[in-house]
């Protein structure tokens, strides 16, 4: 019997401060109408000055552990996807490890922007399948507001802060993470990047983006890799109960669903209330879906993402 990672628990966390589109219109020349029409976003959560990425990650991790009925001491590995770490080093995962009382195993970060959760999921799932971990904590977390240029209306209205976490548990059975495909194409690095970095200019930098190029590639790549992961595992769009894509922009999500032939009623949407939280968006949406009673045990979930790098991927999960 094959060992798979079942999803033992999901948890999300959002910082308290909520900023509406009207709030954003007070700082840049924009409007609620433009933002809703072009992105579907109505509000976003922002961490305050003192709240760090690790704080959000720790809350989400604790929520996921509670849902799984486990403690930090049960966890063998933490894989954390983020492009907004507390510090250049150590890994944000190290702070999470200490806070949840996990003293063994290993904890590390990876950087794959909006695909960060899927990259982390793939990495942790591989470790579980190989017998290297029994319980793994997979986290997607960002404080994008800390690297947002609030004078640039092209980007500042799009992003939000948040964290999502999943506890994977080794088991012998058909449910759990069925397959995750990940891809990248570094030729597109100049289309979405931070203007700073330790070795580039000793700075943190701000998000800068060729929005149209990202849009074009995201619509195609997320649909095509979703089709690929379905076909590879002998499933069709009809088998999917919920489509939970990276929540970047409702127009991208609509375009992906259309190209894939996914009915609109199967698309789970949180972009209206969370905005684009990069690596956090999929686990936050999954946790939100469970909390709202939409996602249920036994259902088949398909989750694609695409982000800076470019990176992209898709995961097929039986809850
Ligand atoms: O996870 C991946 C992260 N990236 C993304 O999710 C972004 C992907 N790209 C997009 O979502 C879209 O390209 C945007 C939402 C960023 C832009 O939508 P668009 O329909 O491609 O607009 P555009 O870039 O063609 O801009 C149209 C106009 C421009 O004005 P002009 O040059 O036509 O006069 C922009 O300056 O809209 C203007 N504009 C704005 N107007 C009001 C750009 N941002 C704003 C704004 N408010 N916030």
């Amino acid at each position: 019997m094959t060992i798979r990672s079942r999803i033992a628990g999901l948890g999300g966390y959002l910082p308290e401060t909520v900023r509406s589109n009207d709030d954003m219109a007070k700082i840049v020349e924009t409007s609620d109408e433009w933002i809703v029409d072009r992105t579907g976003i109505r509000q976003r959560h922002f961490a305050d000055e003192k709240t760090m990425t690790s704080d959000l990650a720790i809350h989400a991790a604790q929520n996921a552990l509670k849902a799984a009925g486990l403690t930090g001491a049960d966890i063998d590995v933490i894989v954390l996807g983020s492009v907004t770490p507390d510090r250049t080093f150590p890994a944000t995962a190290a702070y999470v490890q200490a806070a949840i009382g996990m003293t063994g195993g290993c904890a590390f970060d990876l950087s794959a922007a909006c695909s960060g959760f899927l990259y982390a999921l793939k990495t942790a799932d591989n470790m579980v399948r190989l017998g290297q971990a029994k319980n793994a904590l997979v986290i997607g977390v960002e404080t994008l507001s800390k690297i947002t240029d609030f004078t640039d209306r092209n980007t500042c209205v799009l992003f939000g802060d948040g964290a999502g976490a999943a506890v994977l548990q080794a088991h012998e059975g058909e449910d759990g993470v069925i397959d995750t495909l990940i891809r990248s194409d570094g030729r597109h690095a100049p289309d979405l990047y931070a203007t700073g970095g330790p070795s580039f200019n000793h700075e943190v930098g701000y998000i800068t983006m060729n929005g149209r190029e990202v849009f074009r590639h995201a619509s195609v790549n997320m649909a095509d890799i979703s089709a690929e992961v379905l076909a590879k595992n002998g499933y069709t769009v009809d088998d999917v109960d919920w489509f939970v894509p990276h929540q970047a922009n409702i127009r991208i999500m609509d375009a992906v669903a259309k190209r894939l032939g996914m009915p609109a009623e199967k698309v789970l949407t949180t972009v209206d209330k969370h905005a684009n939280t990069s690596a956090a968006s999929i686990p936050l949406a999954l946790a939100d879906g469970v909390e709202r009673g939409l996602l249920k045990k036994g259902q088949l979930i398909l989750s694609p993402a695409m982000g800076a790098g470019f990176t992209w991927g898709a995961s097929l999960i039986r809850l």
Side-chain angles (χ1 to χ4, degrees), residues 28-31 34-35 38-39 114 153-155 157-159 192 209 211-212 214-215 246 248-249 251-252 276 306-307:
V28 285
E29 203 183 321
T30 189
S31 64
W34 192 95
I35 301 171
R38 300 295 176 110
T39 72
C114 300
R153 70 174 182 173
N154 289 296
T155 54
V157 301
L158 303 176
F159 301 106
L192 180 52
M209 176 176 71
R212 281 187 196 173
V214 175
F215 195 110
H246 168 49
N249 178 321
R251 285 161 57 223
I252 296 178
N276 181 350
M306 144 97 194

Side-chain angles (χ1 to χ4, degrees), residues 69-134:
L70 297 177
T71 69
D74 299 313
I75 300 296
D76 309 306
V77 58
I78 299 175
V79 190
L80 182 150
S82 185
V83 292
T84 46
D86 288 15
R87 299 169 189 267
T88 305
F89 74 90
T92 302
Y95 298 112
V96 179
Q97 184 186 27
I100 64 170
M102 172 189 163
T103 50
C106 63
F108 59 96
D109 291 2
L110 56 77
S111 173
C114 300
S115 311
F117 180 74
L118 294 186
Y119 271 61
L121 184 70
K122 171 95 180 174
T123 306
D125 181 41
N126 282 346
M127 291 178 77
V128 169
R129 284 176 192 246
L130 287 171
Q132 297 166 351
K134 271 192 180 154

Side-chain angles (χ1 to χ4, degrees), residues 192-206:
L192 180 52
Y193 61 96
T195 54
S199 116
F200 179 64
N201 62 0
H202 313 258
E203 289 174 6
V204 174
Y206 293 106

Side-chain angles (χ1 to χ4, degrees), residues 148-219:
T148 296
D149 176 357
F150 284 99
T151 64
D152 177 15
R153 70 174 182 173
N154 289 296
T155 54
C156 76
V157 301
L158 303 176
F159 301 106
D161 301 339
V167 175
L168 306 189
Q169 188 165 56
H171 84 134
E172 287 183 4
E174 291 304 306
D175 54 338
V177 182
I178 295 167
D179 201 1
T180 304
L181 303 180
I182 52 173
R183 304 272 185 274
S184 64
D185 184 347
R187 290 174 299 177
H188 292 285
D191 287 322
L192 180 52
Y193 61 96
T195 54
S199 116
F200 179 64
N201 62 0
H202 313 258
E203 289 174 6
V204 174
Y206 293 106
I207 301 167
T208 183
M209 176 176 71
N210 179 347
R212 281 187 196 173
E213 218 33 33
V214 175
F215 195 110
R216 203 165 63 82
H217 283 269
S219 311

Side-chain angles (χ1 to χ4, degrees), residues 219 222-228 230 236-237 240 243 254-263 302 304:
S219 311
M222 286 204 283
D224 291 359
I225 201 156
S226 294
E228 193 183 333
L230 283 175
T236 71
V237 161
V240 175
F243 188 57
D254 287 347
V256 171
K258 193 172 168 205
R259 185 175 169 92
L260 194 57
M262 184 68 67
L302 175 60

